[in-house]
Amino acid sequence: MPKSTFFNLPEEKKDKIIAVAIDEFAQNHYEKVTINNIVKRAEIPKGSFYQYFENKDDVYIFLFSQIGNSKKNNLEELKDRSSQLDFKSYVMLLLEAGNQFGNEDLRILELKNRFINECPQEIRKKILSNEFPKSYQLLADVIRLYIKKGELRENLDVEMVAYIVTQGLANIEFYQNAGSSIKDLGTRILDVVIEGIQTESGGENKPANKKSIGN
């Protein structure tokens, strides 16, 4: 992650460095992106770059951290919709909004595509280990909300359910099923999970001596 000297820069200068870095990684294979090109386009001395970042990997990881934070904030803005939707519908809303996030910006779209296809394995692991928790913590908050609403069982291992669902949804692209859309596959994943976490009525928690689905 960037050093404190980067965060102390004027916003305009920080934004320019970030924009240049996004362009470089979006337009070129990861291995062909160079610090020389970044500093030249950002109009900063090479020595200053190393006052802001450790290396090229550091910049790349930071870009995905910024994108992940923006995506999380965007999804959290949908929280008000939870009062109008059941759990499954709300999670599907988050899934669709998450898949659409950044698609209107061709640079971000190409950056994500290159991450999937070209990112070195070790860097990929670091990015996923940083960003994945943002997704399942968001879902964990949603699960707690629907437990309070009485739609999901009170005795759930919330963190584990959130982790399992997020893993499933995050890896949809690797599920080989011709003709199935992301929405269709997401619905199937949720159907399987919800059968085990929903209350018997799907709307109120029952006393402990009454059997719930999945118990």
Side-chain angles (χ1 to χ4, degrees), residues 16 39 50-51 71 91 126 145 160 184 186:
K16 183 173 183 179
V39 299
Y50 288 106
Q51 292 177 358
K71 180 179 178 178
V91 175
K126 289 181 180 180
L145 177 62
M160 182 54 64
D184 291 338

Side-chain angles (χ1 to χ4, degrees), residues 29-204:
H29 190 288
Y30 184 87
E31 300 297 343
K32 294 185 177 180
V33 174
T34 66
I35 292 172
N36 285 338
N37 283 346
I38 292 175
V39 299
K40 181 178 180 181
R41 292 186 57 189
E43 299 179 308
I44 60 172
K46 191 170 184 178
S48 294
F49 175 91
Y50 288 106
Q51 292 177 358
Y52 307 148
F53 301 96
E54 291 291 341
N55 48 38
K56 181 178 76 172
D57 297 347
D58 201 22
V59 183
Y60 191 67
I61 292 169
F62 175 64
L63 294 181
F64 280 93
S65 176
Q66 292 293 94
I67 294 170
N69 290 341
S70 296
K71 180 179 178 178
K72 183 173 182 289
N73 292 338
N74 181 270
L75 296 181
E76 286 177 338
E77 291 178 1
L78 299 172
K79 188 174 182 179
D80 290 345
R81 297 286 299 278
S82 63
S83 62
Q84 306 161 10
L85 300 170
D86 60 21
F87 176 73
K88 176 181 173 181
S89 299
Y90 185 63
V91 175
M92 288 305 300
L93 174 68
L94 294 179
L95 175 62
E96 292 178 37
N99 285 331
Q100 290 299 316
F101 180 80
N103 286 357
E104 69 282 356
D105 187 333
L106 294 180
R107 299 178 312 150
I108 300 299
L109 188 60
E110 186 58 31
L111 183 69
K112 291 192 294 185
N113 288 337
R114 287 189 179 276
F115 169 77
I116 293 171
N117 297 308
E118 301 172 357
C119 182
Q121 191 62 29
E122 286 305 309
I123 305 303
R124 179 193 297 268
K125 287 180 180 179
K126 289 181 180 180
I127 290 172
L128 293 179
S129 67
N130 289 341
E131 301 310 309
F132 189 75
K134 296 176 185 177
S135 296
Y136 74 72
Q137 287 300 331
L138 175 63
L139 184 56
D141 290 341
V142 171
I143 292 170
R144 292 187 185 98
L145 177 62
Y146 278 86
I147 289 174
K148 289 181 180 179
K149 290 175 64 175
E151 189 174 326
L152 304 180
R153 298 200 331 256
E154 291 180 334
N155 62 343
L156 290 179
D157 183 340
V158 173
E159 296 290 333
M160 182 54 64
V161 173
Y163 182 84
I164 291 170
V165 173
T166 305
Q167 278 280 18
L169 296 178
N171 289 285
I172 281 178
E173 63 188 287
F174 302 113
Y175 183 77
Q176 300 298 317
N177 193 350
S180 293
S181 66
I182 287 179
K183 183 176 180 179
D184 291 338
L185 292 174
T187 299
R188 289 174 60 189
I189 290 171
L190 288 175
D191 284 342
V192 170
V193 174
I194 288 172
E195 184 176 351
I197 67 176
Q198 196 172 46
T199 59
E200 186 174 291
S201 65
E204 63 176 302

